[in-house]
Amino acid sequence: QPLQQLAADFRQASAPHLESLRALQVLTERARPTLLVVDDDPFQHKLVGRLLKDLDLRLLFAASGLEALNLLRKAQPDLILMDYSMPEMNGVEVTRRIKGLARFAAIPIIMITGNSEEQVVTESLQAGAIDFMVKPLAGAALTAKIRNLLGGAEGVPRGAWEDLKRTDI
C-alpha cells in the first residue's frame, strides 16, 4: 500500500515535467536542420542556396575556414558542406579542427571541390569528412545526400536533439 501511494505521488509530481518534455519534443520535430556551407566563392553560396531551396533547411554561409570556426561558437549546424580549396586554411585543416573539438566532432562534413584526385579524396576522408562531392554540384545528388544524413527527410533535426527524440515520453 505505501509503495503504491509513493508511485502515485511520484507520477503526480512529475506530470508537469513530462508535459514540458512532450511540448519540447514537438518543437524539436518542427525545428529546421541547419546546414553550414563553407566556401570562399560567393557564387557557390548562391548555387547551393538555389539547389537546396526546396528543402526546409536553415542555411548558414562562411567565406573562410576561420569564419566557419567562429560561426560554430554561435550556431551548431547539423551538417557542413566544406570546400577543399580555400585561402589561409584549406577545408582539410578546418575539418581536422572541427573534429578535434568534442562539442562538434559528431557533425557530419561533406567535402566539396573541383579536384577529384585520389590524394584529395583520401586526405579529406582521413581528416574526418564522411563524404565527398565534386563541383559542379548536381542538385539531385546533393539533395539526396543531405536528406540521407539528416534522417531521410527535410525538417528532421540531428545532434543534441536526437537523444530527446529517442526518449520514450
Side-chain angles (χ1 to χ4, degrees):
Q1 192 87 332
L3 191 54
Q4 289 177 337
Q5 183 60 43
L6 181 63
D9 291 344
F10 179 76
R11 272 193 299 275
Q12 184 178 7
S14 62
H17 302 291
L18 288 174
E19 189 56 41
S20 294
L21 285 173
R22 285 185 190 101
L24 186 57
Q25 183 176 18
V26 168
L27 287 174
T28 62
E29 289 170 357
R30 288 188 206 152
R32 294 183 332 167
T34 301
L35 173 68
L36 172 59
V37 179
V38 185
D39 198 310
D40 61 320
D41 183 356
F43 176 75
Q44 290 297 322
H45 293 192
K46 290 177 185 175
L47 178 64
V48 170
R50 286 191 181 131
L51 291 174
L52 302 178
K53 70 179 188 269
D54 294 332
L55 295 180
D56 189 22
L57 297 171
R58 183 177 133 203
L59 296 176
L60 301 175
F61 297 96
S64 70
L66 186 58
E67 186 180 340
L69 293 170
N70 286 330
L71 193 57
L72 285 175
R73 293 181 191 171
K74 300 173 190 162
Q76 183 164 343
D78 298 291
L79 177 63
I80 298 173
L81 292 182
M82 179 75 66
D83 185 24
Y84 175 85
S85 190
M86 294 183 289
E88 298 173 21
M89 189 181 340
N90 71 19
V92 169
E93 179 60 29
V94 179
T95 298
R96 283 189 185 118
R97 289 185 184 202
I98 291 170
K99 295 299 181 177
L101 300 168
R103 180 175 168 204
F104 306 118
I107 300 172
I109 298 174
I110 298 174
M111 193 68 67
I112 54 175
T113 185
N115 184 348
S116 62
E117 293 175 7
E118 183 178 344
Q119 175 191 349
V120 172
V121 174
T122 303
E123 188 180 15
S124 299
L125 296 175
Q126 287 176 343
I130 62 163
D131 210 338
F132 192 89
M133 291 190 76
V134 178
K135 295 177 188 178
L137 298 173
L142 180 61
T143 299
K145 285 180 190 266
I146 289 171
R147 282 190 171 152
N148 181 47
L149 290 168
L150 295 178
E154 62 273 23
V156 178
R158 289 179 52 93
W161 296 110
E162 282 295 82
D163 294 331
L164 178 62
K165 286 174 43 184
R166 280 189 223 133
T167 306
D168 228 0
I169 299 175

